Amino acid sequence: MKDSFNNIINSETPVLVDFHADWCGPCKMLAPILKQVKDEMGNDLKIVKIDVDKNQSLASTYQVRGVPTMILFKNGKQVWRQSGVLQKNDILQVVKQHI
């Protein structure tokens, strides 16, 4: 998983990674917000969902202590990170700064 994850985040297109868990209520609230973000951004943004229970080593690598945690990568580098639920416009504002 780690190799394919590195291939995904090493992209000129910004990649928003959503570290989540099935049992997490706020994660379920964030899912439709991220869909709206993707619908608005189209091919200018990739969104990847990572289940922390199934990918514990990846969550540990990025020191994800709580879910949901979103990390934005560009060219393999972490350019932004936020835990908790954000509204669509807040996420869009951050993403558009890194296009």
Side-chain angles (χ1 to χ4, degrees):
M1 174 65 189
K2 198 173 256 188
D3 286 343
S4 60
F5 183 79
N6 287 335
N7 289 339
I8 292 168
I9 64 171
N10 277 313
S11 166
E12 285 187 26
T13 303
V15 179
L16 183 62
V17 180
D18 171 25
F19 287 92
H20 70 98
D22 289 339
W23 46 263
C24 164
C27 299
K28 290 181 170 91
M29 290 170 40
L30 184 60
I33 295 170
L34 290 178
K35 183 180 181 330
Q36 292 172 356
V37 169
K38 177 63 179 162
D39 290 346
E40 187 160 326
M41 294 299 298
N43 292 332
D44 291 334
L45 175 69
K46 293 179 190 170
I47 297 179
V48 178
K49 296 179 77 60
I50 301 289
D51 186 321
V52 295
D53 292 328
K54 294 177 183 161
N55 298 284
Q56 291 178 357
S57 66
L58 203 53
S60 176
T61 298
Y62 290 97
Q63 300 175 346
V64 174
R65 304 277 183 254
V67 287
T69 294
M70 293 177 283
I71 303 178
L72 185 66
F73 293 91
K74 182 156 186 188
N75 297 318
K77 291 187 173 53
Q78 180 177 315
V79 294
W80 175 81
R81 176 186 185 118
Q82 178 73 45
S83 293
V85 177
L86 291 180
Q87 295 306 309
K88 178 183 92 167
N89 289 336
D90 296 330
I91 297 170
L92 284 171
Q93 183 179 357
V94 168
V95 168
K96 288 177 179 177
Q97 291 173 1
H98 297 285
I99 291 182

